[in-house]
Amino acid sequence: MTVITVLGAGAMGSALCTPVADAGWEVRLWGTWLDDHLLDAVERGEPHPRTKEPLAQGVHLYRSDQLEEALAGANVVVMSVASVGVPKVTELALAGIAKADALWMTSKGFCEAPDGTVEQLPVAIRRIAQENGYNELPPIVAIAGPVKANECAGRKPTATIFGCLDGAVSKKYAQAAATSNYAIEHTDDEVGVEICAPMKNVYAIALGIADGLEEATGVPHHNLKAATFTQAVKEMSLLGQSQGAKPQTAFGLPGVGDLEVTGLSGRNKVYGVRLGRGENPAQALAEMDRLEQTVEGVPAAGLAIKFVHQHAADIADELPLLNAVVKILNEETTEPVKDVVAQAVLPRA
């Protein structure tokens, strides 16, 4: 039996336990030092506090001080913590990761190296491994696509994508982990999947702004939202191609698909709604932090613009929506957010 250890007991980590358990795998869920209250609830037999769904039956739970035990004999390890926690958890889990057959990733974001270089998460994990004496890691499988954690945990029809530099590896696990409700596409475009994963969170903020404008004025801004969606997909494809990704990846599940579901709901969209209603960016973020609603798109936006300047400076002017979101988040303009977004996404002759 395949043993899989999920690192991170938040919404996505706990949700992923359901399909792999249904696929017949032995599932272990390790919680970080921030996840105790989540595991407490599950152990009491309550639904998971983040997904509002019961944890899959048979999942073995491990606390933060039981990492070595959780990783012992694991065939697959899953990194499923917030992007800011990836470096620390990687260092703690390296011994177990190195012994596994594959490392899966549901974490989405960028990582800033000590020298200031902004990296995609798989690149950062490989660098951290080498810095700690692990010159070889198992294949990394990037997991993305339009997956709402609560629907995945509730066995609703779900499509996702596994991306690995070795296409045979992504195909192998796509076939092994799929269920009647959890359908998996596979690709060798790790880079494209990993570009779309954080960028759709950034762009979902802009989509939320359009919805917030409607809440503030009572007037729908569907046209603006549609133009924003189109520009977001274009920019994800351009940025991905600049790093060697396939152009079509952004037009599939990791790009269009994930942006659609994130723009309909989710914390990044909700944050954007707050901005569209007229809330101050910093105050709105602080309130969501208080509610334990992590807005991954905010740090991703800042790191993304640095990533562009470092790795794709020649296309910086072709990413007006990314620049607009960063400008809004950093309060670099006194213009209404509607005008900032509109100037970025409406075509000009």
Side-chain angles (χ1 to χ4, degrees):
M1 179 181 292
T2 303
V3 178
I4 184 169
T5 298
V6 181
L7 304 179
M12 194 57 71
S14 64
L16 183 61
C17 292
T18 298
V20 288
D22 289 348
W25 296 27
E26 179 184 325
V27 186
R28 303 171 182 174
L29 180 62
W30 175 79
T32 73
W33 45 94
L34 300 175
D35 296 337
D36 286 342
H37 63 300
L38 303 177
L39 296 180
D40 288 342
V42 171
E43 288 181 339
R44 290 194 298 267
E46 300 171 4
H48 191 283
R50 298 278 172 78
T51 66
K52 311 302 181 186
E53 294 284 349
L55 190 66
Q57 289 188 352
V59 175
H60 305 284
L61 302 180
Y62 296 84
R63 300 284 173 152
S64 59
D65 60 354
Q66 298 176 300
L67 180 57
E68 184 175 352
E69 182 181 352
L71 289 168
N75 304 106
V76 174
V77 179
V78 185
M79 185 66 66
S80 194
V81 299
S83 58
V84 67
V86 167
K88 183 171 184 178
V89 173
T90 296
E91 290 186 358
L92 292 173
L94 269 174
I97 292 172
K99 295 176 182 177
D101 298 323
L103 172 64
W104 295 5
M105 291 192 57
T106 68
S107 303
K108 299 172 175 66
F110 294 99
C111 180
E112 189 165 16
D115 66 358
T117 302
V118 178
E119 303 166 322
Q120 295 183 51
L121 290 181
V123 175
I125 288 175
R126 294 180 183 113
R127 170 183 54 78
I128 292 169
Q130 289 188 341
E131 291 172 351
N132 285 272
Y134 292 88
N135 294 322
E136 290 189 15
L137 281 184
I140 294 177
V141 178
I143 301 177
V147 181
K148 291 292 294 179
N150 60 321
E151 294 185 21
C152 180
R155 297 181 173 86
K156 305 297 189 298
T158 295
T160 189
I161 187 167
F162 283 16
C164 179
L165 295 176
D166 185 338
V169 171
S170 56
K171 181 178 181 179
K172 167 189 172 182
Y173 287 113
Q175 293 175 337
T179 73
S180 59
N181 297 309
Y182 188 72
I184 309 170
E185 188 175 301
H186 56 86
T187 179
D188 62 1
D189 190 9
E190 173 200 286
V191 172
V193 172
E194 280 294 310
I195 286 290
C196 290
M199 295 307 297
K200 56 86 181 174
N201 286 332
V202 176
Y203 294 128
I205 295 173
L207 296 177
I209 286 174
D211 291 334
L213 290 169
E214 179 176 359
E215 290 190 14
T217 64
V219 178
H221 285 68
H222 299 318
N223 292 349
L224 176 61
K225 189 171 184 179
T228 301
F229 189 96
T230 303
Q231 181 64 29
V233 175
K234 177 182 177 181
E235 293 188 15
M236 284 192 288
S237 184
L238 285 171
L239 183 55
Q241 289 178 69
S242 75
Q243 305 307 303
K246 297 177 179 178
Q248 64 267 31
T249 297
F251 295 92
L253 291 174
V256 170
D258 214 353
L259 183 62
E260 163 71 6
V261 75
T262 309
L264 288 172
S265 62
R267 294 161 293 183
N268 295 285
K269 182 259 192 181
V270 171
Y271 178 68
V273 169
R274 287 177 174 270
L275 303 186
R277 289 197 306 238
E279 294 185 33
N280 173 272
Q283 293 173 350
L285 184 62
E287 176 61 13
M288 293 192 70
D289 285 342
R290 186 188 70 80
L291 297 172
E292 295 188 9
Q293 297 175 349
T294 303
V295 186
E296 288 269 25
V298 172
L303 291 174
I305 202 70
K306 290 183 180 179
F307 183 89
V308 170
H309 291 155
Q310 293 173 359
H311 304 286
D314 57 322
I315 66 165
D317 292 339
E318 298 178 63
L319 307 173
L321 183 55
L322 171 60
N323 288 298
V325 172
V326 171
K327 185 184 296 186
I328 291 169
L329 297 183
N330 292 343
E331 301 181 62
E332 297 173 358
T333 178
T334 58
E335 292 183 87
V337 291
K338 179 184 72 173
D339 294 343
V340 178
V341 173
Q343 289 167 15
V345 304
L346 298 183
R348 308 293 176 183

